Amino acid sequence: EGFGPQAPIPSSAAAAAAGKPAFWPGARYDAAIPTLASVVGHENGERVTRSEDIILYLRALAAAAPDRMKIFDYGRTWEGRPLIYVAIGAPEKIAALDELKSDMAALTDPRRTNGAELDRLSAELPASVWIAAGVHGNEISSSDAGLFFAYHLLAAQGDPTVDAILKDAVVFLDPNQNPDGRARFTHNFEIAEGLEPSPSRIAAERNEPWPGGRTNHYYFDMNRDWFALTQPETRGRIKALREWRPLVFVDAHEMGTDRTYYFAPEADPFNPHLAPAQRANLQLFGRNNAKWFDRRGFPYFTREVYDAFYPGYGASWPSYYGAVAMTYEQASARGLKARRTDGTEYHFRDTVRQHFTAYVGTAEAAAVNRRKLLADYLAYQRTAIEEGQRETVRSYIFPAGRDQTAADKLAGVLAQQGVEVKTAINAFSACGNRYEPGTHVVNLAQPAKRLIRTLLDRDVPLPADFLARQEERRARNQPDEIYDVTAWSMPLLFNAAMDSCDANIALNADFRIHDGRLFEPARVAGPANAVAYLVPWGETSAVRLLARAYRAGMVGRANAKT
């Protein structure tokens, strides 16, 4: 099957002839847009697409429709694999991507744009939707669903849902957030599979050897890394999201074989720093996904298991720049076939189809609710600034001289996430204290106020009613209902000193804007003929120096006595 123009192919009829349910019943596709089979050799959902073939296929789509799809590189994995995302939209929207980027930046900081222009932008801009797939490399269906989603948006003809999406939205797709982990999974699967796929839970093809494909090269779970920024994959994603600020963000996952499908609204507890409109807008997407799942006969659930408290997930971090962020979870086949404990079986194709359906429903809901989402996004920024001006604590200060390396790194990590951090050039006084040059200051009266409070407060409280319910469950010897992490204060994590101040500090010419670097340039001072260096212990800089010295082959000794 070539890339040249042919008569539209009625995919639903072709699927029916093969005895398989169509991904989108009734759809007709333009044969000028290449199918997955024509590029990599298998139909959607018939094989687990390899990491390299994901990129190969998306490049083929972009070549076939360059006016409607654009590919962006955003980094490399530890193993050197490329990280990409794509933008898909109507030709006029793809041609205006640079304007979309600058306009979203204007909406993100209403202090720098007049009110009339902000109102115009919030009325006229398209909705932006970001689908992120495969952050866990062995959660395989989300990436393959993304490939068919891209094809569907480019090739579907006369489909009113696709037409509505392309009219009022731009779709971004990060098809494979963890190429190294996925490569590990597909390698293990392919060397273990037999002549026919086995649904057995103990089949070799469905049991990964350690360490499995969930993590990246260094076995790091990147779905816990979104504010720590320890991995190059995460740093690249944060940078890309800060450039585009999509209104809607979906992190697509897989869960246990015996489950069905999960989408928003999330379970309790919710982080107290989420805005009310963000929580309300979850309903828009949940109800629209439910509409399509009901039509297709797909089982699903909401409001269970997956809470919205910890800010370090892909499904939570984007909330703190103002997006509606959600996690979607599909029961995993962990291969090509799976058998539940009740005896029912399903195919990898089914999991791809359900994720794809949720992607379509999400993009449709964003397009239909474009004006509301934009207005709520702008209100999020405005109210964040207003709240920061009247908080009891109005600024955070990282004093110079108290483990300067830790303070510098923390300030850099915050700046990389869009927090305005300024560093003192000269000494200054604030809230009765004197601070030396090199001190970092974060005022709360800025759009990132809710992110700042979430990351820097010593305690982000769980809702009182949720805590009471957990105590009742504990009294009955039942497990708690929290999904994961409950504490993450970054000053404590970094062992960095932090003072709080009840005033917004005047950040004048005596301060410079922090550029996001994690460490200030440093050098070791001493005579050229030195035979040894003494390194006082107790600060992060000592750890970094010794690590570099040992890698260079130097020998060290420790003295535990004063």
Side-chain angles (χ1 to χ4, degrees), residues 12-237:
S12 55
K20 305 168 187 174
F23 277 66
W24 196 255
R28 294 177 62 85
Y29 294 118
D30 182 357
I33 305 301
T35 64
L36 184 66
S38 70
V39 176
V40 306
H42 64 258
E43 298 285 356
N44 294 91
E46 297 303 317
R47 299 288 301 172
V48 181
T49 306
R50 297 172 178 171
S51 290
E52 59 270 25
D53 286 340
I54 288 174
I55 293 180
L56 179 66
Y57 181 57
L58 289 172
R59 295 203 187 283
L61 289 180
D67 61 333
R68 290 177 288 151
M69 176 172 163
K70 189 172 182 180
I71 297 180
F72 298 86
D73 292 289
Y74 71 85
R76 293 269 168 174
T77 69
W78 285 112
E79 295 178 11
R81 291 184 173 86
L83 294 160
I84 70 165
Y85 64 91
V86 305
I88 301 172
E92 65 275 12
K93 290 182 173 58
I94 296 302
L97 282 177
D98 287 343
E99 289 86 345
L100 174 62
K101 184 186 296 186
S102 61
D103 289 344
M104 286 303 298
L107 276 187
T108 299
D109 193 349
R111 298 169 299 178
R112 294 179 170 86
T113 308
N114 69 61
E117 177 66 5
L118 290 171
D119 292 339
R120 183 190 70 80
L121 292 174
S122 64
E124 296 179 1
L125 285 178
S128 46
V129 183
W130 192 291
I131 305 293
V135 71
H136 295 143
N138 60 359
E139 297 178 3
I140 46 181
S141 59
S142 60
S143 294
D144 280 271
L147 298 183
F148 192 79
F149 183 45
Y151 171 76
H152 183 70
L153 292 176
L154 295 172
Q157 296 183 318
D159 185 274
T161 304
V162 171
D163 292 344
I165 293 169
L166 297 180
K167 175 178 177 293
D168 285 315
V170 173
V171 173
F172 294 89
L173 170 67
D174 184 344
N176 188 13
Q177 299 179 83
N178 184 4
D180 294 350
R182 188 179 182 91
R184 196 182 309 126
F185 172 86
T186 53
H187 171 75
N188 290 331
F189 172 76
E190 289 172 356
I191 64 174
E193 67 176 326
L195 291 175
E196 295 290 337
S198 172
S200 171
R201 288 173 180 261
I202 62 172
E205 67 205 61
R206 299 189 72 254
N207 284 270
E208 298 176 77
W210 186 89
R214 179 181 177 89
T215 56
N216 72 348
H217 172 79
Y218 278 110
Y219 308 152
F220 200 95
D221 187 335
M222 293 187 291
N223 199 37
R224 305 298 185 276
D225 191 43
W226 280 72
F227 66 76
L229 302 184
T230 68
Q231 305 301 300
E233 298 95 331
T234 313
R235 291 192 290 271
R237 277 190 280 281

Side-chain angles (χ1 to χ4, degrees), residues 355-506:
H355 257 325
F356 160 73
T357 302
Y359 297 170
V360 174
T362 301
E364 180 192 35
V368 170
N369 295 283
R370 176 185 65 84
R371 283 179 175 267
K372 174 173 172 45
L373 293 171
L374 285 162
D376 288 345
Y377 182 84
L378 177 57
Y380 179 97
Q381 318 305 325
R382 284 172 164 161
T383 56
I385 297 167
E386 293 166 1
E387 290 173 9
Q389 293 169 338
R390 59 175 185 265
E391 293 274 10
T392 302
V393 173
R394 298 182 185 177
S395 59
Y396 295 99
I397 303 169
F398 305 105
R402 305 185 211 169
D403 198 342
Q404 187 70 46
T405 304
D408 290 346
K409 184 176 181 181
L410 176 53
V413 169
L414 292 173
Q416 287 183 16
Q417 296 177 73
V419 174
E420 292 176 3
V421 182
K422 291 201 173 181
T423 304
I425 301 171
N426 302 307
F428 69 99
S429 296
C431 288
N433 297 314
R434 181 172 176 80
Y435 295 99
E436 298 303 315
T439 294
H440 305 293
V441 178
V442 176
N443 278 339
L444 273 120
Q446 59 172 289
K449 175 257 177 184
R450 295 181 179 97
L451 176 65
I452 295 166
R453 288 287 311 274
T454 300
L455 297 184
L456 296 186
D457 283 5
R458 188 179 184 90
D459 175 49
V460 176
L462 288 161
D465 59 341
F466 178 80
L467 278 176
R469 189 166 74 243
Q470 303 317 298
E471 289 298 330
E472 292 172 1
R473 292 178 64 86
R474 184 171 67 163
R476 297 194 298 267
N477 201 30
Q478 294 178 330
D480 65 72
E481 295 174 305
I482 194 75
Y483 181 71
D484 204 13
V485 184
T486 59
W488 55 82
S489 175
M490 290 190 73
L492 296 179
L493 289 172
F494 280 72
N495 193 31
M498 184 182 77
D499 295 342
S500 58
C501 183
D502 61 2
N504 282 312
I505 298 170

Side-chain angles (χ1 to χ4, degrees), residues 275-320:
Q278 291 175 298
R279 293 188 58 172
N281 285 336
L282 295 174
Q283 300 282 342
L284 300 176
F285 295 94
R287 292 183 185 280
N288 205 57
N289 285 336
K291 173 190 74 176
W292 287 112
F293 273 55
D294 289 343
R295 290 183 185 179
R296 301 289 188 255
F298 300 155
Y300 59 91
F301 66 98
T302 65
R303 300 185 183 90
E304 296 180 29
V305 182
Y306 304 103
D307 63 60
F309 189 68
Y310 175 59
Y313 305 128
S316 57
W317 185 90
S319 300
Y320 300 97

